[in-house]
Amino acid sequence: MSGFSFDRLSAVLTMRRCLSKITECQMGFKNLNFFLVGSSSVSRTITTAIERSCSSNAAQVDHQTKDNSVSDMLIDSFGRMHTYLRISLTERCNLRCQYCMPSEGVELTPNSQLLSQSEIVRLAGLFVSSGVNKIRLTGGEPTVRKDIEEICLQLSSLKGLKNLAITTNGITLAKKLPKLKECGLDSLNISLDTLVPAKFEFLTRRKGYERVMQSIDTAIALGYNPVKVNCVVMRGLNDDEICDFVELTREKPINVRFIEFMPFDGNVWNVKKLVPYAEVMDKVVKGFPSIKRMQDHPTETAKNFTIDGHVGSVSFITSMTEHFCSGCNRLRLLADGNFKVCLFGPSEVSLRDPLRSGADDEALREIIGAAVKRKKAAHAGMLDIAKTANRPMIHIGG
């Protein structure tokens, strides 16, 4: 950015986000000393702004409720409100995980056909103004995109967005995370399928186990709580490490998420490789009998559990054996600008093409709303999904 430095812009928007989040709450301040930023005049200015916001807070509640309500564009024919958007920033990745990418690789979309930073922000703004309150950045590997900090900065400043998250393989995350946090990254998921370095290299076809572990520790040190660790369980590959993963939660604020192996083009899915939730749970219960179920939100994809004496927690994502379609609130924007309403459905519609043809916001809303209304009540089921043509996961976004 020219003229106005990126660091200064980051600081200004960070202050604005903090004030925004505070003034959206029921105030009741006891102490404003935490706003002191090295200048009494700046402190007084901020305090005055907060006091003015407090005095008009009651009048703003109804207005904010209307601003943040979910528009019809995001409500499907079954009444599900879609407030969670996953945005794939890139198809490129610095790993070659076996369950994600074919051994021969995949043909990548030319850069000119991928969404630009401004296109991502415009479309994201359209979704957020319509009721989306959570955005997750995915890939490929989102951290390989050079402008990820600027994207986070602009997305996190969207009015109405409550959470900006990322799913990453953690290879380059440790060095980038401090800046990403400054730019408004609220939460993160780190993919890790084995705790054995040699097996990591086999599963990902690359080295990097130590860097992933460093990223987990960096996230904890920066105050992310919980740090979510995604583990795809595959029979004969890592199903012998289930209890080892649970041990990660004993002394650290880590949420280990065991994910059932899902079929996508090129990942050679086989039902024999699938380790069902019931089997994984049985192993965990035997190793940690004090495990207890938590109260999950209706739109939660995971079954969440705590274990006595553990700082962290354990979750299970049961896409194959116990689907959670009835509470689904997720939509996907792919790196090439295609819009997808179901991870397992082959249907896609381009938002990039009408956007580049000059479509205004209303036209884009009509395209999005029509796609959402076509969303089915549930996916086709485990065996039918395996037979249905769908893009490789690296194209769709994790």
Side-chain angles (χ1 to χ4, degrees), residues 133 266 306 333 343 359:
N133 56 39
T306 58
L333 180 62
L343 174 61

Side-chain angles (χ1 to χ4, degrees), residues 59-194:
Q60 290 180 350
V61 170
D62 288 340
H63 176 68
Q64 289 174 351
T65 300
K66 291 177 182 177
D67 284 349
N68 296 329
S69 62
V70 179
S71 76
D72 183 66
M73 179 187 94
L74 299 179
I75 302 175
D76 68 15
S77 58
F78 301 95
R80 292 174 295 197
M81 295 184 291
H82 296 80
T83 57
Y84 181 1
L85 177 67
R86 301 172 73 99
I87 301 176
S88 176
L89 297 184
T90 179
E91 295 175 353
R92 293 187 297 122
C93 188
N94 44 16
L95 294 180
R96 296 291 183 269
C97 297
Q98 293 189 28
Y99 60 81
C100 180
M101 187 185 294
S103 58
E104 68 275 12
V106 297
E107 184 176 350
L108 300 179
T109 304
N111 287 337
S112 62
Q113 296 179 30
L114 299 179
L115 293 177
S116 67
Q117 179 184 147
S118 62
E119 289 171 333
I120 290 172
V121 173
R122 181 182 170 190
L123 289 172
L126 189 63
F127 278 97
V128 172
S129 67
S130 300
V132 162
N133 56 39
K134 178 176 181 177
I135 290 177
R136 178 174 297 278
L137 303 178
T138 68
E141 170 49 39
T143 62
V144 304
R145 181 151 174 160
K146 294 180 180 179
D147 59 352
I148 187 172
E149 289 91 354
E150 290 91 339
I151 291 173
C152 283
L153 190 62
Q154 293 190 56
L155 294 181
S156 64
S157 67
L158 292 173
K159 182 181 179 181
L161 188 70
K162 297 179 181 178
N163 183 272
L164 180 62
I166 193 172
T167 294
T168 169
N169 60 30
I171 293 294
T172 64
L173 182 66
K175 63 181 181 181
K176 295 187 176 186
L177 191 53
K179 175 61 73 175
L180 289 172
K181 186 175 183 182
E182 286 181 19
C183 293
L185 186 68
D186 297 304
S187 57
L188 49 84
N189 290 29
I190 299 175
S191 298
L192 179 65
D193 301 312
T194 179

